[in-house]
Amino acid sequence: MSLDSLPRLGLGTYSDDNREQWRENVSTALDVGFRHVDTAQVYENEQYVGRGIRDSDVDRDDLWLSTKTVHHDVPPEPEQVPDAIDGCLDRLGVDAVDLLYVHWPSGIYSHEEVLPAFEAAYEEGKTRHIGLSNFTPELLDEAREFLDAPIFAHQVEMHPLLPQEELVEYAQEHDHWLVAYSPLGKGAALEAPEVQDVAEKHDAMPAQVSLAWVLSHDNVAAIPKASSREHMEQNLAAQDLELDDEDIERIDAIDRRHREIDADHGPWNW
């Protein structure tokens, strides 16, 4: 399993409304230079993401495409998981995705009933890799017992106000990716004085500093959401921002914690 194949900066595509925008947004992101796009069944935009990919000049083989299914309330029954996986592929208009995640370990989820369907999709070539999302270390340990295929990635919220030290260490120990969603904390991380001071030092945007800090961790990738070309270009440029040890230590020392996605069904609330 080569971790080198995943582009470390991708495009997140969640929005509460105007889901049609992701057709143009994805096409623009690929034109700007993104080669990693992340979506999910519950986002209700997979068909637009797929159209955006087809609208672009980027070959499918040159693009990393991830999606997620098994939300806490979608689909309603474990036996429908294979159909849910096929539905993701149909809406995206692809034969396979590069990475298929279990979206939440709650609702209808159980290791015994859900993970075999993901293993079957992997064996049938419908996904090149299996991922999990919003798990705890204990749940990751349990899931590993029900999978012969390796866990390629674990997707969770991560940013300077939610550094996820334990899960980062877990990813490094077990050699999989931690993919950070909401890597700007939906803007909350950008308001931290420490982030703003580092941004001023480097003549950079606070968003770029937050992304650079996330990417400074081994085995960590990020999928910031952006809908304008300008923000997409700024986010990509964060890969070239080199924070020094003092910058990283300053951000690491932030003692405020903020979780943007704090659903009742999140396992950290059980």
Side-chain angles (χ1 to χ4, degrees):
M1 180 178 70
S2 174
L3 297 187
D4 294 339
S5 54
L6 176 76
R8 291 192 70 194
L9 196 66
L11 178 72
T13 64
Y14 174 76
S15 61
D16 290 327
D17 55 14
N18 190 19
R19 292 169 176 83
E20 296 87 348
Q21 69 175 301
W22 293 106
R23 176 175 183 174
E24 181 177 352
N25 291 350
V26 167
S27 181
T28 299
L30 297 179
D31 184 58
V32 166
F34 279 87
R35 293 297 180 268
H36 174 185
V37 177
D38 180 276
T39 184
Q41 176 185 356
V42 76
Y43 296 175
E44 298 181 354
N45 66 5
E46 287 172 310
Q47 62 269 42
Y48 304 112
V49 169
R51 290 175 188 171
I53 292 170
R54 291 190 293 276
D55 288 345
S56 78
D57 295 327
V58 176
D59 290 338
R60 172 67 185 90
D61 291 343
D62 296 328
L63 168 68
W64 184 280
L65 178 59
S66 301
T67 194
K68 317 173 199 72
T69 190
V70 188
H71 201 259
H72 72 286
D73 56 358
V74 180
E77 300 295 340
E79 59 267 23
Q80 293 179 304
V81 173
D83 289 340
I85 293 171
D86 288 343
C88 290
L89 302 182
D90 289 344
R91 287 185 294 274
L92 286 165
V94 298
D95 295 325
V97 291
D98 297 284
L99 178 56
L100 178 69
Y101 292 97
V102 174
H103 203 159
W104 288 91
S106 52
I108 62 105
Y109 177 81
S110 70
H111 304 305
E112 299 90 337
E113 294 185 290
V114 168
L115 293 182
F118 278 67
E119 189 104 57
Y122 171 78
E123 293 173 352
E124 294 165 8
K126 295 178 180 180
T127 181
R128 297 180 179 91
H129 300 285
I130 294 174
L132 306 173
S133 183
N134 299 303
F135 279 52
T136 61
E138 294 76 18
L139 287 171
L140 289 170
D141 284 338
E142 294 170 11
R144 290 162 61 87
E145 297 178 5
F146 290 88
L147 283 171
D148 291 327
I151 296 172
F152 184 82
H154 179 217
Q155 186 175 135
V156 294
E157 179 180 350
M158 178 184 172
H159 47 75
L161 302 183
L162 190 66
Q164 300 282 22
E165 295 101 331
E166 186 177 10
L167 289 172
V168 170
E169 291 176 4
Y170 190 103
Q172 294 166 350
E173 177 184 353
H174 293 280
D175 198 28
H176 65 237
W177 285 106
L178 186 148
V179 177
Y181 70 74
S182 296
L184 312 181
K186 291 196 173 181
L190 313 187
E191 300 299 321
E194 297 87 347
V195 172
Q196 294 182 349
D197 289 347
V198 172
E200 184 176 357
K201 170 183 172 180
H202 290 277
D203 193 24
M205 306 294 293
Q208 293 174 317
V209 169
S210 185
L211 290 172
W213 175 84
V214 169
L215 296 177
S216 72
H217 298 79
D218 292 339
N219 288 65
V220 177
I223 48 168
K225 183 180 75 173
S227 54
S228 74
R229 177 179 287 268
E230 179 182 10
H231 286 162
M232 292 175 189
E233 291 173 343
Q234 289 173 353
N235 288 346
L236 273 182
Q239 297 179 106
D240 300 323
L241 176 58
E242 295 186 10
L243 303 182
D244 58 35
D245 291 343
E246 181 182 0
D247 299 328
I248 292 172
E249 290 171 4
R250 186 166 192 181
I251 295 172
D252 285 347
I254 295 174
D255 61 2
R256 297 176 304 288
R257 291 294 176 259
H258 171 77
R259 185 185 290 275
E260 185 65 36
I261 308 300
D262 196 14
D264 290 340
H265 59 265
W268 50 86
N269 287 322
W270 296 354

